[in-house]
Amino acid sequence: MENKFLPFSQPLIEKDEIDEVIDTLKSGWLTMGKKTIEFEKLISEYIGCKYAIVVNSCTAALHLSLLALNIGPGDEVITSPYTFASTGNMIIQTGAKPIFVDIKKDTYNIDPEKIREAITPKTKAIIPMHFAGQACDMKEIQKIAKEYDLHIIEDAAHAIGAEYNNKKIGSESELCCFSFYPIKNITTGEGGAIVTNNDKFVDRLKKLRLHGISKDAWKRYDMGNWYYEIEECGWKYNITDIQSAIGIHQIKKLNNFIRIRNSYAKMYNDAFSDLDVTIPFKKKNVKHAYHLYALLVNNRDKFIEKMKKKNIYCTVNFIPLHLHPLYKKLGYKEGDFPIAEFIYKKEVSLPLYPKMTKDDITRVIQAVREIVNE
Ligand SMILES: *Cc1c(COP(=O)(O)O)cnc(C)c1O
């Protein structure tokens, strides 16, 4: 028990997900079809938005959102360097330039004041990323976007189910992207979604998800309707019904998952309050999804090694994008974003997921206390 392998993260998959996948496999329809349509309906109902378009990753969701806004060569998109590859890479993929601005010391989210300073005539959009499942300062960001006529695409890969000022992330968004990767708040194996309230994006996003064809396979084959037209050069970003079968049940459990994540985060916070570490800061006007429990410790690399010796696996979120070779080629360098770099050097993400038991949490707490107090 004491030395059992404790992975950084694992999804909670139960009998209903498994039965639904088997039902899909037996049904004869495996690709995007009626289970995906049902999953999309459940997402939009849960979020309280008009539309959900499900794709095969959050990366694809971000890419299509940028394309739906016609962002491309010559344009600039402002985001934080304290994020995963997808956010910056997809901006580059469209031909636009990612413009990074530093994060706030408390939430590790993008700093609205610094967004203001980075705006140029080429700026087209802002991508706030809700770190760890805590909403960015959306009121300020929306104000800036309005003032300068900019679009907002939210990278909510960590934040499905999170709330800002008592409203779900995505419920009032222009374009907001979720991830269903296995370690995220809910999973479909691989998958993602774009939610929007804007009718004008829906047809375009659906078209771009499937080669630029105006009708998806469900409409093409099931209705015995063979004719289609390729209207533009799109991508192959659709999900399958095998994956949506998992999502249909995961989303029904999301509130409970977030409740468990919050109660485990509180156990961590209470247990670490007397240690020489920095526990996550939570703002008053948010419901935190606690996708990550981001702790700041001294000697972070050694800390992770010592946890590993106790068979507990941690990770780091994130290596700031501007420190990677791809972004150095764009002209970014070490020292450009001091807060992101400072947090990166100390950050460790502890295991925190609904599949963990209270005993697992207690074991992590003991291990952290031992290492920090050494
Ligand atoms: C996980 C993650 C993504 C990408 O999600 P995929 O579904 O794996 O493409 C994007 N942005 C952030 C911040 C993430 O953590």
Side-chain angles (χ1 to χ4, degrees):
M1 164 68 201
E2 172 60 19
N3 223 12
K4 188 181 69 172
F5 167 63
L6 186 69
F8 170 66
S9 184
Q10 253 187 7
L12 184 58
I13 300 292
E14 296 169 308
K15 189 173 182 300
D16 32 7
E17 284 92 346
I18 293 167
D19 288 347
E20 194 76 44
V21 167
I22 291 170
D23 178 71
T24 312
L25 292 173
K26 287 179 174 168
S27 75
W29 189 275
L30 304 187
T31 189
M32 184 168 69
K34 68 175 183 213
K35 293 208 177 169
T36 301
I37 294 168
E38 186 185 345
F39 185 34
E40 288 179 334
K41 188 165 160 274
L42 290 172
I43 295 170
S44 57
E45 282 171 7
Y46 176 86
I47 298 296
C49 62
K50 271 169 120 174
Y51 308 102
I53 296 103
V54 169
V55 287
N56 60 7
S57 71
C58 181
T59 306
L62 289 163
H63 190 197
L64 295 190
S65 297
L66 288 158
L67 295 173
L69 296 172
N70 296 313
I71 287 168
D75 296 334
E76 292 178 354
V77 178
I78 297 174
T79 192
S80 142
Y82 207 66
T83 184
F84 185 59
S86 318
T87 328
N89 283 12
M90 290 307 104
I91 297 170
I92 297 176
Q93 203 59 265
T94 66
K97 186 169 184 222
I99 303 296
F100 296 131
V101 303
D102 214 344
I103 53 175
K104 293 180 45 164
K105 271 199 195 93
D106 52 1
T107 57
Y108 320 151
N109 276 332
I110 193 164
D111 185 338
E113 278 315 305
K114 291 180 185 143
I115 293 176
R116 226 175 247 286
E117 293 161 15
I119 293 169
T120 75
K122 292 179 178 174
T123 311
K124 289 281 149 49
I126 307 164
I127 309 187
M129 192 279 277
H130 306 298
F131 180 81
Q134 168 155 254
C136 293
D137 300 327
M138 291 311 292
K139 212 173 139 196
E140 284 85 306
I141 295 170
Q142 276 153 0
K143 204 173 138 207
I144 296 167
K146 210 165 170 196
E147 213 177 303
Y148 293 91
D149 198 19
L150 305 175
H151 298 285
I152 299 175
I153 301 169
E154 286 162 72
D155 182 342
H158 300 181
I160 189 165
E163 293 178 14
Y164 175 76
N165 288 340
N166 296 315
K167 284 183 185 133
K168 288 231 163 59
I169 296 284
S171 59
E172 293 182 344
S173 300
E174 185 177 7
L175 291 156
C176 176
C177 303
F178 298 124
S179 174
F180 309 130
Y181 186 73
I183 69 166
K184 300 294 161 76
N185 299 344
I186 57 170
T187 190
T188 56
E190 294 277 0
I194 308 150
V195 296
T196 180
N197 288 300
N198 197 329
D199 306 67
K200 77 172 182 214
F201 295 134
V202 178
D203 287 346
R204 185 91 196 286
L205 288 167
K206 287 187 173 173
K207 214 194 294 175
L208 288 171
R209 138 177 102 172
L210 251 184
H211 301 295
I213 290 172
S214 55
K215 278 187 211 159
D216 60 35
W218 181 244
K219 288 186 197 141
R220 280 205 328 266
Y221 303 120
D222 197 66
M223 312 299 173
N225 194 350
W226 59 267
Y227 186 77
Y228 62 87
E229 283 176 354
I230 307 163
E231 294 172 356
E232 61 180 311
C233 192
W235 275 260
K236 183 70 163 78
Y237 278 166
N238 66 283
I239 201 168
T240 68
D241 264 17
I242 308 168
Q243 293 163 297
S244 294
I246 305 170
I248 286 168
H249 293 279
Q250 287 270 300
I251 193 155
K252 292 172 188 160
K253 301 172 184 178
L254 178 54
N255 283 344
N256 192 39
F257 286 171
I258 289 176
R259 191 186 54 75
I260 297 169
R261 285 176 177 277
N262 272 270
S263 76
Y264 287 174
K266 186 173 183 307
M267 284 175 74
Y268 282 155
N269 285 341
D270 291 347
F272 302 150
S273 60
D274 65 326
L275 297 183
D276 182 21
V277 296
T278 307
I279 61 172
F281 170 77
K282 186 181 156 301
K283 298 200 318 179
K284 288 211 170 61
N285 61 340
V286 302
K287 178 179 166 188
H288 204 312
Y290 281 108
H291 161 59
L292 298 173
Y293 188 86
L295 190 67
L296 305 190
V297 298
N298 300 320
N299 301 317
R300 190 266 322 274
D301 295 359
K302 282 215 176 81
F303 176 93
I304 290 177
E305 275 312 303
K306 286 174 185 168
M307 290 292 275
K308 200 169 150 187
K309 283 212 180 88
K310 294 175 186 287
N311 226 355
I312 298 171
Y313 286 72
C314 302
T315 191
V316 173
N317 300 93
F318 289 97
I319 306 165
L321 291 183
H322 71 285
L323 302 179
H324 291 276
L326 169 67
Y327 292 88
K328 284 189 172 160
K329 270 189 246 160
L330 294 181
Y332 289 111
K333 59 185 186 310
E334 198 165 346
D336 282 351
F337 307 103
I339 301 172
E341 289 170 31
F342 174 83
I343 303 300
Y344 160 57
K345 284 189 185 110
K346 289 179 158 255
E347 199 273 347
V348 56
S349 300
L350 301 182
L352 174 78
Y353 45 99
K355 202 180 176 183
M356 286 172 82
T357 63
K358 273 199 176 141
D359 285 346
D360 291 331
I361 298 288
T362 306
R363 185 177 147 211
V364 176
I365 287 172
Q366 275 168 1
V368 171
R369 290 192 64 86
E370 258 174 58
I371 294 167
V372 174
N373 283 331
E374 239 171 42

Short mmCIF file of all heavy atoms in Angstrom, two decimals, residues 276-318:
data_model
loop_
_atom_site.label_atom_id
_atom_site.label_comp_id
_atom_site.label_asym_id
_atom_site.label_seq_id
_atom_site.Cartn_x
_atom_site.Cartn_y
_atom_site.Cartn_z
N ASP A 276 7.00 25.75 4.17
CA ASP A 276 7.67 26.76 3.35
C ASP A 276 7.41 26.47 1.87
O ASP A 276 8.32 26.10 1.13
CB ASP A 276 9.17 26.75 3.67
CG ASP A 276 9.91 27.82 2.88
OD1 ASP A 276 9.25 28.79 2.44
OD2 ASP A 276 11.13 27.68 2.70
N VAL A 277 6.14 26.60 1.47
CA VAL A 277 5.72 26.38 0.08
C VAL A 277 4.65 27.44 -0.22
O VAL A 277 4.16 28.08 0.70
CB VAL A 277 5.09 24.98 -0.14
CG1 VAL A 277 6.11 23.87 0.12
CG2 VAL A 277 3.84 24.78 0.74
N THR A 278 4.30 27.60 -1.50
CA THR A 278 3.20 28.50 -1.84
C THR A 278 2.04 27.67 -2.38
O THR A 278 2.18 27.02 -3.42
CB THR A 278 3.64 29.55 -2.88
OG1 THR A 278 4.80 30.21 -2.38
CG2 THR A 278 2.54 30.56 -3.15
N ILE A 279 0.92 27.71 -1.65
CA ILE A 279 -0.26 26.96 -2.10
C ILE A 279 -1.00 27.80 -3.15
O ILE A 279 -0.81 29.02 -3.22
CB ILE A 279 -1.18 26.57 -0.92
CG1 ILE A 279 -1.70 27.81 -0.20
CG2 ILE A 279 -0.45 25.64 0.05
CD1 ILE A 279 -2.78 27.50 0.85
N PRO A 280 -1.84 27.16 -3.99
CA PRO A 280 -2.52 27.93 -5.04
C PRO A 280 -3.42 29.02 -4.46
O PRO A 280 -4.08 28.80 -3.45
CB PRO A 280 -3.36 26.89 -5.78
CG PRO A 280 -2.97 25.55 -5.27
CD PRO A 280 -2.19 25.74 -4.01
N PHE A 281 -3.42 30.17 -5.12
CA PHE A 281 -4.28 31.28 -4.73
C PHE A 281 -5.59 31.16 -5.46
O PHE A 281 -5.62 30.93 -6.67
CB PHE A 281 -3.58 32.60 -5.10
CG PHE A 281 -4.46 33.81 -4.97
CD1 PHE A 281 -4.73 34.35 -3.72
CD2 PHE A 281 -5.02 34.40 -6.10
CE1 PHE A 281 -5.55 35.47 -3.60
CE2 PHE A 281 -5.85 35.52 -5.98
CZ PHE A 281 -6.11 36.04 -4.73
N LYS A 282 -6.68 31.30 -4.73
CA LYS A 282 -8.00 31.23 -5.37
C LYS A 282 -8.72 32.56 -5.19
O LYS A 282 -8.82 33.06 -4.07
CB LYS A 282 -8.82 30.10 -4.75
CG LYS A 282 -10.14 29.87 -5.46
CD LYS A 282 -10.91 28.75 -4.77
CE LYS A 282 -12.39 28.83 -5.00
NZ LYS A 282 -13.06 30.04 -4.56
N LYS A 283 -9.20 33.09 -6.32
CA LYS A 283 -9.92 34.35 -6.26
C LYS A 283 -11.34 34.13 -5.75
O LYS A 283 -11.89 33.03 -5.85
CB LYS A 283 -9.98 34.98 -7.67
CG LYS A 283 -8.59 35.30 -8.20
CD LYS A 283 -8.62 36.32 -9.32
CE LYS A 283 -9.73 36.10 -10.31
NZ LYS A 283 -9.72 37.12 -11.36
N LYS A 284 -11.94 35.20 -5.23
CA LYS A 284 -13.27 35.06 -4.62
C LYS A 284 -14.38 34.86 -5.65
O LYS A 284 -15.35 34.17 -5.38
CB LYS A 284 -13.58 36.31 -3.78
CG LYS A 284 -12.75 36.36 -2.50
CD LYS A 284 -13.48 37.05 -1.36
CE LYS A 284 -12.74 36.88 -0.05
NZ LYS A 284 -11.38 37.47 -0.09
N ASN A 285 -14.22 35.46 -6.83
CA ASN A 285 -15.33 35.45 -7.79
C ASN A 285 -15.28 34.26 -8.76
O ASN A 285 -15.84 34.33 -9.85
CB ASN A 285 -15.36 36.76 -8.58
CG ASN A 285 -14.08 36.98 -9.37
OD1 ASN A 285 -13.04 36.38 -9.08
ND2 ASN A 285 -14.15 37.80 -10.40
N VAL A 286 -14.58 33.19 -8.38
CA VAL A 286 -14.50 32.04 -9.29
C VAL A 286 -14.94 30.76 -8.59
O VAL A 286 -14.84 30.63 -7.38
CB VAL A 286 -13.06 31.81 -9.83
CG1 VAL A 286 -12.55 33.03 -10.55
CG2 VAL A 286 -12.10 31.37 -8.73
N LYS A 287 -15.43 29.82 -9.43
CA LYS A 287 -15.51 28.43 -9.00
C LYS A 287 -14.35 27.74 -9.70
O LYS A 287 -14.30 27.68 -10.93
CB LYS A 287 -16.84 27.81 -9.40
CG LYS A 287 -16.96 26.35 -9.00
CD LYS A 287 -18.32 25.80 -9.41
CE LYS A 287 -18.33 24.28 -9.33
NZ LYS A 287 -19.57 23.75 -9.91
N HIS A 288 -13.40 27.28 -8.93
CA HIS A 288 -12.16 26.69 -9.45
C HIS A 288 -12.45 25.24 -9.86
O HIS A 288 -13.13 24.52 -9.14
CB HIS A 288 -11.12 26.73 -8.33
CG HIS A 288 -9.70 26.70 -8.78
ND1 HIS A 288 -9.24 25.80 -9.71
CD2 HIS A 288 -8.62 27.46 -8.43
CE1 HIS A 288 -7.93 26.01 -9.90
NE2 HIS A 288 -7.55 27.02 -9.14
N ALA A 289 -11.93 24.82 -11.00
CA ALA A 289 -12.12 23.42 -11.41
C ALA A 289 -10.99 22.53 -10.88
O ALA A 289 -11.12 21.31 -10.93
CB ALA A 289 -12.21 23.32 -12.93
N TYR A 290 -9.91 23.13 -10.39
CA TYR A 290 -8.75 22.37 -9.90
C TYR A 290 -8.36 21.23 -10.84
O TYR A 290 -8.18 20.10 -10.40
CB TYR A 290 -8.96 21.87 -8.46
CG TYR A 290 -8.73 22.97 -7.46
CD1 TYR A 290 -9.80 23.54 -6.77
CD2 TYR A 290 -7.45 23.48 -7.22
CE1 TYR A 290 -9.60 24.58 -5.86
CE2 TYR A 290 -7.24 24.51 -6.32
CZ TYR A 290 -8.31 25.05 -5.65
OH TYR A 290 -8.10 26.06 -4.76
N HIS A 291 -8.26 21.56 -12.12
CA HIS A 291 -7.65 20.59 -13.04
C HIS A 291 -6.24 20.27 -12.57
O HIS A 291 -5.78 19.14 -12.66
CB HIS A 291 -7.64 21.13 -14.46
CG HIS A 291 -6.67 20.42 -15.36
ND1 HIS A 291 -6.76 19.06 -15.59
CD2 HIS A 291 -5.58 20.85 -16.02
CE1 HIS A 291 -5.75 18.70 -16.38
NE2 HIS A 291 -5.03 19.76 -16.64
N LEU A 292 -5.54 21.30 -12.05
CA LEU A 292 -4.19 21.12 -11.52
C LEU A 292 -4.13 21.62 -10.09
O LEU A 292 -4.82 22.57 -9.74
CB LEU A 292 -3.17 21.93 -12.34
CG LEU A 292 -3.00 21.62 -13.81
CD1 LEU A 292 -2.07 22.66 -14.44
CD2 LEU A 292 -2.45 20.22 -14.02
N TYR A 293 -3.27 20.99 -9.29
CA TYR A 293 -2.91 21.56 -8.00
C TYR A 293 -1.46 22.01 -8.14
O TYR A 293 -0.53 21.19 -8.07
CB TYR A 293 -3.08 20.55 -6.86
CG TYR A 293 -2.88 21.22 -5.52
CD1 TYR A 293 -3.93 21.85 -4.88
CD2 TYR A 293 -1.63 21.24 -4.91
CE1 TYR A 293 -3.75 22.50 -3.66
CE2 TYR A 293 -1.43 21.89 -3.69
CZ TYR A 293 -2.50 22.52 -3.08
OH TYR A 293 -2.32 23.16 -1.88
N ALA A 294 -1.28 23.31 -8.37
CA ALA A 294 0.05 23.86 -8.67
C ALA A 294 0.66 24.42 -7.39
O ALA A 294 0.23 25.45 -6.89
CB ALA A 294 -0.07 24.94 -9.73
N LEU A 295 1.66 23.73 -6.90
CA LEU A 295 2.35 24.13 -5.67
C LEU A 295 3.70 24.72 -6.05
O LEU A 295 4.33 24.25 -7.00
CB LEU A 295 2.54 22.86 -4.83
CG LEU A 295 3.01 23.00 -3.38
CD1 LEU A 295 1.94 23.68 -2.53
CD2 LEU A 295 3.33 21.61 -2.79
N LEU A 296 4.13 25.76 -5.33
CA LEU A 296 5.49 26.28 -5.55
C LEU A 296 6.38 25.80 -4.41
O LEU A 296 6.05 25.98 -3.24
CB LEU A 296 5.51 27.82 -5.60
CG LEU A 296 4.60 28.52 -6.60
CD1 LEU A 296 4.95 30.02 -6.66
CD2 LEU A 296 4.67 27.91 -7.99
N VAL A 297 7.49 25.15 -4.79
CA VAL A 297 8.42 24.63 -3.78
C VAL A 297 9.84 25.07 -4.12
O VAL A 297 10.14 25.42 -5.27
CB VAL A 297 8.38 23.07 -3.72
CG1 VAL A 297 7.00 22.58 -3.32
CG2 VAL A 297 8.80 22.45 -5.06
N ASN A 298 10.71 25.04 -3.10
CA ASN A 298 12.14 25.27 -3.35
C ASN A 298 12.74 23.97 -3.88
O ASN A 298 12.22 22.89 -3.61
CB ASN A 298 12.84 25.68 -2.06
CG ASN A 298 12.22 26.96 -1.50
OD1 ASN A 298 11.89 27.88 -2.25
ND2 ASN A 298 12.02 27.01 -0.18
N ASN A 299 13.83 24.07 -4.60
CA ASN A 299 14.50 22.87 -5.15
C ASN A 299 13.50 21.93 -5.84
O ASN A 299 13.42 20.75 -5.52
CB ASN A 299 15.23 22.11 -4.05
CG ASN A 299 16.26 22.98 -3.38
OD1 ASN A 299 16.99 23.71 -4.04
ND2 ASN A 299 16.29 22.94 -2.05
N ARG A 300 12.75 22.50 -6.75
CA ARG A 300 11.66 21.76 -7.39
C ARG A 300 12.11 20.44 -8.02
O ARG A 300 11.46 19.41 -7.85
CB ARG A 300 10.98 22.67 -8.43
CG ARG A 300 9.69 22.13 -9.02
CD ARG A 300 9.87 21.38 -10.33
NE ARG A 300 10.85 21.92 -11.20
CZ ARG A 300 10.60 22.89 -12.09
NH1 ARG A 300 9.42 23.44 -12.17
NH2 ARG A 300 11.58 23.30 -12.89
N ASP A 301 13.22 20.46 -8.77
CA ASP A 301 13.64 19.23 -9.48
C ASP A 301 13.94 18.11 -8.48
O ASP A 301 13.55 16.96 -8.70
CB ASP A 301 14.86 19.50 -10.36
CG ASP A 301 14.53 20.48 -11.48
OD1 ASP A 301 13.36 20.91 -11.57
OD2 ASP A 301 15.44 20.81 -12.26
N LYS A 302 14.62 18.47 -7.40
CA LYS A 302 14.94 17.47 -6.35
C LYS A 302 13.66 16.98 -5.70
O LYS A 302 13.52 15.79 -5.39
CB LYS A 302 15.86 18.08 -5.29
CG LYS A 302 17.31 18.17 -5.72
CD LYS A 302 18.23 17.93 -4.50
CE LYS A 302 19.69 17.92 -4.91
NZ LYS A 302 20.22 19.31 -5.05
N PHE A 303 12.73 17.90 -5.49
CA PHE A 303 11.44 17.55 -4.88
C PHE A 303 10.74 16.46 -5.72
O PHE A 303 10.28 15.45 -5.19
CB PHE A 303 10.56 18.81 -4.78
CG PHE A 303 9.17 18.55 -4.27
CD1 PHE A 303 8.88 18.66 -2.92
CD2 PHE A 303 8.15 18.20 -5.14
CE1 PHE A 303 7.60 18.41 -2.44
CE2 PHE A 303 6.87 17.94 -4.68
CZ PHE A 303 6.60 18.04 -3.33
N ILE A 304 10.72 16.67 -7.04
CA ILE A 304 10.05 15.71 -7.92
C ILE A 304 10.76 14.35 -7.86
O ILE A 304 10.10 13.30 -7.82
CB ILE A 304 9.97 16.26 -9.36
CG1 ILE A 304 8.98 17.44 -9.40
CG2 ILE A 304 9.56 15.17 -10.35
CD1 ILE A 304 8.86 18.13 -10.75
N GLU A 305 12.09 14.38 -7.83
CA GLU A 305 12.86 13.14 -7.73
C GLU A 305 12.54 12.38 -6.44
O GLU A 305 12.38 11.16 -6.44
CB GLU A 305 14.36 13.44 -7.79
CG GLU A 305 14.92 13.55 -9.20
CD GLU A 305 14.50 12.38 -10.09
OE1 GLU A 305 14.79 11.23 -9.72
OE2 GLU A 305 13.87 12.64 -11.14
N LYS A 306 12.44 13.14 -5.34
CA LYS A 306 12.16 12.51 -4.04
C LYS A 306 10.75 11.94 -3.99
O LYS A 306 10.52 10.88 -3.40
CB LYS A 306 12.38 13.53 -2.91
CG LYS A 306 13.84 13.80 -2.66
CD LYS A 306 14.02 14.91 -1.63
CE LYS A 306 15.50 15.25 -1.48
NZ LYS A 306 15.67 16.51 -0.73
N MET A 307 9.81 12.63 -4.62
CA MET A 307 8.44 12.10 -4.70
C MET A 307 8.43 10.80 -5.51
O MET A 307 7.78 9.83 -5.15
CB MET A 307 7.50 13.13 -5.36
CG MET A 307 7.20 14.35 -4.51
SD MET A 307 6.20 14.00 -3.05
CE MET A 307 4.54 14.07 -3.71
N LYS A 308 9.21 10.81 -6.58
CA LYS A 308 9.28 9.64 -7.45
C LYS A 308 9.84 8.44 -6.68
O LYS A 308 9.38 7.31 -6.87
CB LYS A 308 10.19 9.98 -8.65
CG LYS A 308 10.02 9.09 -9.86
CD LYS A 308 10.76 9.71 -11.03
CE LYS A 308 11.25 8.64 -11.99
NZ LYS A 308 12.11 9.23 -13.03
N LYS A 309 10.81 8.70 -5.81
CA LYS A 309 11.37 7.62 -4.98
C LYS A 309 10.31 7.03 -4.07
O LYS A 309 10.38 5.87 -3.69
CB LYS A 309 12.53 8.14 -4.13
CG LYS A 309 13.80 8.31 -4.94
CD LYS A 309 15.05 8.06 -4.10
CE LYS A 309 16.30 8.24 -4.94
NZ LYS A 309 16.75 9.65 -4.93
N LYS A 310 9.31 7.84 -3.74
CA LYS A 310 8.19 7.35 -2.92
C LYS A 310 7.08 6.80 -3.80
O LYS A 310 5.97 6.54 -3.34
CB LYS A 310 7.66 8.49 -2.04
CG LYS A 310 8.65 8.98 -0.99
CD LYS A 310 8.07 10.18 -0.25
CE LYS A 310 9.08 10.79 0.72
NZ LYS A 310 9.31 9.97 1.91
N ASN A 311 7.38 6.67 -5.10
CA ASN A 311 6.44 6.12 -6.09
C ASN A 311 5.22 7.02 -6.31
O ASN A 311 4.13 6.54 -6.63
CB ASN A 311 6.01 4.70 -5.70
CG ASN A 311 6.07 3.77 -6.90
OD1 ASN A 311 6.34 4.19 -8.03
ND2 ASN A 311 5.77 2.50 -6.67
N ILE A 312 5.42 8.32 -6.15
CA ILE A 312 4.37 9.31 -6.42
C ILE A 312 4.87 10.19 -7.56
O ILE A 312 5.95 10.78 -7.46
CB ILE A 312 4.07 10.17 -5.17
CG1 ILE A 312 3.55 9.28 -4.03
CG2 ILE A 312 3.09 11.29 -5.51
CD1 ILE A 312 3.43 10.00 -2.69
N TYR A 313 4.07 10.27 -8.62
CA TYR A 313 4.53 10.96 -9.84
C TYR A 313 3.89 12.34 -9.97
O TYR A 313 2.68 12.48 -9.95
CB TYR A 313 4.27 10.09 -11.08
CG TYR A 313 5.27 8.96 -11.11
CD1 TYR A 313 5.16 7.90 -10.20
CD2 TYR A 313 6.36 8.98 -11.97
CE1 TYR A 313 6.11 6.89 -10.16
CE2 TYR A 313 7.31 7.96 -11.94
CZ TYR A 313 7.18 6.93 -11.03
OH TYR A 313 8.13 5.94 -11.00
N CYS A 314 4.76 13.33 -10.10
CA CYS A 314 4.31 14.72 -10.25
C CYS A 314 4.71 15.20 -11.65
O CYS A 314 5.43 14.51 -12.36
CB CYS A 314 4.98 15.61 -9.21
SG CYS A 314 4.65 15.09 -7.52
N THR A 315 4.26 16.40 -12.02
CA THR A 315 4.72 16.97 -13.28
C THR A 315 4.89 18.48 -13.11
O THR A 315 4.67 19.02 -12.02
CB THR A 315 3.80 16.60 -14.46
OG1 THR A 315 4.44 16.96 -15.67
CG2 THR A 315 2.46 17.30 -14.38
N VAL A 316 5.27 19.14 -14.19
CA VAL A 316 5.46 20.59 -14.16
C VAL A 316 4.56 21.24 -15.21
O VAL A 316 4.56 20.83 -16.36
CB VAL A 316 6.94 20.97 -14.43
CG1 VAL A 316 7.09 22.48 -14.58
CG2 VAL A 316 7.84 20.45 -13.31
N ASN A 317 3.77 22.22 -14.80
CA ASN A 317 2.94 22.99 -15.73
C ASN A 317 3.24 24.47 -15.52
O ASN A 317 2.84 25.00 -14.50
CB ASN A 317 1.46 22.76 -15.49
CG ASN A 317 1.07 21.31 -15.66
OD1 ASN A 317 1.04 20.57 -14.69
ND2 ASN A 317 0.75 20.91 -16.87
N PHE A 318 3.91 25.12 -16.42
CA PHE A 318 4.38 24.65 -17.71
C PHE A 318 5.82 25.09 -17.92
O PHE A 318 6.26 26.01 -17.25
CB PHE A 318 3.52 25.28 -18.84
CG PHE A 318 2.13 24.76 -18.90
CD1 PHE A 318 1.08 25.43 -18.30
CD2 PHE A 318 1.84 23.58 -19.59
CE1 PHE A 318 -0.21 24.95 -18.36
CE2 PHE A 318 0.55 23.10 -19.68
CZ PHE A 318 -0.48 23.77 -19.06
#
